Amino acid sequence: MRLVVDINVLARAHPKAIGPARRLLENISLGSHVLIFSDEMFQELERVLLYPRMLRRSGLTPDEIAGFLWDVIERADIVRPSAVPDGLMRDPTDHHVLGAALAGGADILCTNDLDFWDERVRDFVR
């Protein structure tokens, strides 16, 4: 199975986490699943993990963040996101996530972002 894990989930899958996001990432690594990722997703994940609020909550050091980012890249199939029509999504910064899912032939896009469930987005993906 090929999966895109949105940054809002992946940021909660860091090595010190114990919740469902971490278990998902571990299952992807242990199974025959492929994590689809892009350079844009890498940059966003790094930015989110370095937010002061995330640093306080996660307890991660900069070295641990760098290690986590490296681990994600090592497990992932890195793709260049496909183009997504302007205006398709409410938040245009989500285009690269949807584009990565399309470019990587994702079976699943795991996200907490309800914008991906918008009828126009679902019709486009079909």
Side-chain angles (χ1 to χ4, degrees):
M1 187 171 307
R2 298 178 59 79
L3 302 97
V4 168
V5 179
D6 195 4
I7 302 309
N8 61 28
V9 176
L10 203 49
R12 292 175 177 90
H14 61 80
K16 291 185 178 180
I18 57 172
R22 182 64 188 175
R23 288 191 304 275
L24 171 66
L25 188 58
E26 289 170 348
N27 285 332
I28 292 170
S29 299
L30 297 174
S32 60
H33 307 299
V34 176
L35 177 66
I36 300 166
F37 205 62
S38 70
D39 289 340
E40 293 85 349
M41 292 175 74
F42 173 87
Q43 292 169 9
E44 184 179 357
L45 179 59
E46 181 178 39
R47 188 179 72 249
V48 167
L49 290 172
L50 290 171
Y51 287 160
R53 179 178 60 100
M54 281 297 293
L55 287 171
R56 282 190 305 275
R57 292 177 72 191
S58 71
L60 294 171
T61 67
D63 286 343
E64 289 169 326
I65 291 171
F68 175 55
L69 292 169
W70 182 253
D71 287 345
V72 169
I73 286 175
E74 281 189 322
R75 329 175 168 193
D77 181 5
I78 308 297
V79 300
R80 183 170 185 215
S82 297
V84 173
D86 288 337
L88 176 65
M89 301 195 69
R90 184 188 59 81
D91 182 357
T93 64
D94 288 331
H95 282 193
H96 69 91
V97 175
L98 184 57
L102 294 170
D107 300 301
I108 294 175
L109 192 158
C110 180
T111 182
N112 291 329
D113 187 339
L114 295 177
D115 289 344
F116 286 92
W117 285 95
D118 181 271
E119 188 173 330
R120 291 182 328 137
V121 174
R122 291 174 32 190
D123 286 345
F124 173 75
V125 171
R126 280 189 212 115

